[in-house]
Amino acid sequence: MDRKEFLTLYAVQLLVALGFIFGWSLVYLYFVELGFSYWELLLMNVLTYLASLLAIPVLRRISLRSYLRHGILLRVLTFLMVFHFLARSQLYLLAVVFGVMLTLFWIPSNIKYYRLNSGATAQFSGLYFFTWALMGALAPAIAGVVAKVAGYWAVFGGSIAVLLLAFFVAGRLGEETVELDWRGAIAGTKGVRTLVFIEGFWQGVNLIGIPLFTLYFIREELALGTFLAYLGLLGALASLLVSRLSDRTRRRLVFIVPVTVLTAIFTVLSGFSKDLYQWALFQGGVQFFLAILSPFAITVVIDASRDLTESIVSREVFLDLGRIAGGVALAASMYMTGEIRLAIIGSGLVLLLYPLVLAGNGLYPGELRWRPGAR
């Protein structure tokens, strides 16, 4: 492993995580205060992932460093766009920019990161997600204080400053060029596509569903930031520890199956929450076990794929497809019940399929005494 390159990339990840989370953790409260409805925010959510999906086939031959830096600049643009809304339709333009950013940043970032860390995939996945969990434990509370004292403009401005620093640090990364073939990537990840779709469906519901549902109980900047920091704190150390153990034992299912089931159960229970105390308890369980599960979700794809680049590209395709389906489920829940809790419950039930599909695909046959279809 190129130690200097890894430390530079990790510094970029730290800064990007801080910039992303600090500026975006309170954004849905900000949108609601501006008068945007839940329907408009749900449409924004679907458009974001649709734009991300449509951007993937456009990428052919890419410079990892250049595209990663372009993604950071687009993230800066999203914060500039939320400073002032000239028209309500600006929300949907924001969604498109956000979606393209997801593709431009995450595909080259993940390719570069996992190329540097081949051989200890789960451990370094854990480090990757630990970085975001750590920022999730710190940034929202600080953002809540800043928003209350100085206003949202200071929060967005602070994120822009941090992201511009990340942009300049990313300029010190080595240059690499890769060829991307999204059709070939999909063909090369046949055994894990349903798994990634399930993961994406859960994300499509909960990445926006959790902050929006929280707004049923909390409508104040400092209280919301503190609550989100509490959620981030619960899982900050778990993923790093468990992933390290997994790479030592080379056993995946012993970790994946129980934490997936527990994440799903707590997701279902959180959907039945009647007050903030229940929501905090059950979402605490979700975030704790999700922090353990998340590193393995990407590790499974890399383990099962014939090529690292193909696995990263295909994963983004099926994550986006799942997220779009999750967004549609949120809209259906709103239409039928006037709330999003039904979609949250449904996402937990869908996540219960993950270990069954994993076992049925036989990805880790040495760890199974039985699997569907086996004798």
Side-chain angles (χ1 to χ4, degrees):
M1 179 176 68
D2 185 332
R3 182 176 178 83
K4 181 180 178 181
E5 184 80 350
F6 171 75
L7 290 176
T8 302
L9 182 59
Y10 193 68
V12 172
Q13 284 292 334
L14 277 171
L15 291 169
V16 166
L18 176 58
F20 277 31
I21 296 172
F22 180 75
W24 212 249
S25 55
L26 305 180
V27 77
Y28 292 109
L29 174 60
Y30 172 71
F31 288 151
V32 170
E33 289 179 353
L34 288 179
F36 288 105
S37 69
Y38 273 30
W39 277 111
E40 289 172 303
L41 297 179
L42 294 179
L43 178 56
M44 171 197 170
N45 183 52
V46 173
L47 286 177
T48 296
Y49 298 125
L50 182 60
S52 176
L53 178 65
L54 294 177
I56 294 173
V58 178
L59 303 184
R60 298 291 186 178
R61 181 180 176 86
I62 69 168
S63 159
L64 296 182
R65 181 181 68 189
S66 296
Y67 275 69
L68 185 154
R69 297 181 83 206
H70 290 155
I72 294 174
L73 287 181
L74 284 181
R75 193 64 174 110
V76 170
L77 179 58
T78 63
F79 284 115
L80 290 172
M81 292 177 70
V82 300
F83 265 106
H84 180 67
F85 280 83
L86 300 174
R88 300 185 78 84
S89 58
Q90 187 173 322
L91 185 71
Y92 309 125
L93 178 60
L94 170 65
V96 172
V97 174
F98 197 170
V100 174
M101 178 278 300
L102 290 175
T103 293
L104 289 189
F105 178 79
W106 284 113
I107 287 180
S109 177
N110 283 336
I111 291 173
K112 199 164 188 66
Y113 187 85
Y114 286 102
R115 276 187 172 183
L116 286 170
N117 301 303
S118 58
T121 308
Q123 179 182 341
F124 281 95
S125 292
L127 181 62
Y128 207 175
F129 285 94
F130 171 74
T131 303
W132 287 80
L134 179 63
M135 292 300 104
L138 300 174
I142 299 171
V145 173
V146 172
K148 189 171 184 64
V149 172
Y152 287 107
W153 68 270
V155 177
F156 301 144
S159 284
I160 289 172
V162 172
L163 289 170
L164 288 176
L165 179 58
F167 174 80
F168 288 111
V169 173
R172 302 176 65 86
L173 292 168
E175 189 61 282
E176 295 178 79
T177 301
V178 298
E179 301 280 350
L180 301 184
D181 175 11
W182 65 276
R183 291 188 179 89
I186 291 172
T189 52
K190 184 177 181 181
V192 293
R193 293 182 301 216
T194 303
L195 292 173
V196 179
F197 182 87
I198 291 171
E199 179 190 359
F201 183 88
W202 189 93
Q203 291 181 6
V205 171
N206 289 276
L207 290 182
I208 187 172
I210 290 171
L212 290 184
F213 200 89
T214 302
L215 294 183
Y216 289 156
F217 309 115
I218 302 175
R219 288 293 182 99
E220 193 270 331
E221 298 94 334
L222 182 57
L224 180 60
T226 302
F227 177 80
L228 295 176
Y230 148 77
L231 294 183
L233 181 62
L234 287 173
L237 296 176
S239 61
L240 187 61
L241 172 63
V242 175
S243 296
R244 185 175 180 84
L245 291 173
S246 174
D247 271 321
R248 287 179 175 179
T249 63
R250 302 303 299 175
R251 296 179 66 85
R252 307 291 198 217
L253 294 184
V254 70
F255 299 101
I256 296 172
V257 173
V259 297
T260 303
V261 171
L262 287 167
T263 303
I265 290 172
F266 275 102
T267 299
V268 171
L269 291 174
S270 68
F272 287 103
S273 298
K274 301 298 184 182
D275 54 45
L276 179 60
Y277 300 104
Q278 292 178 2
W279 179 245
L281 174 64
F282 296 138
Q283 272 300 310
V286 170
Q287 298 306 315
F288 180 83
F289 292 111
L290 182 66
I292 301 173
L293 173 62
S294 294
F296 290 108
I298 190 169
T299 298
V300 166
V301 179
I302 294 172
D303 284 348
S305 303
R306 63 191 182 191
D307 176 81
L308 173 62
T309 300
E310 288 184 350
S311 68
I312 297 300
V313 174
S314 180
R315 181 172 181 269
E316 290 301 316
V317 170
F318 285 95
L319 276 179
D320 283 337
L321 287 171
R323 289 163 174 168
I324 292 168
V328 172
L330 278 169
S333 177
M334 276 287 291
Y335 179 77
M336 291 186 295
T337 68
E339 291 185 323
I340 59 174
R341 70 170 71 241
L342 184 62
I344 293 174
I345 295 168
S347 71
L349 296 176
V350 169
L351 189 60
L352 285 174
L353 298 175
Y354 191 98
L356 297 177
V357 174
L358 182 62
N361 286 349
L363 296 179
Y364 300 105
E367 298 185 36
L368 285 174
R369 293 183 179 180
W370 173 87
R371 68 175 186 269
R375 294 185 179 182

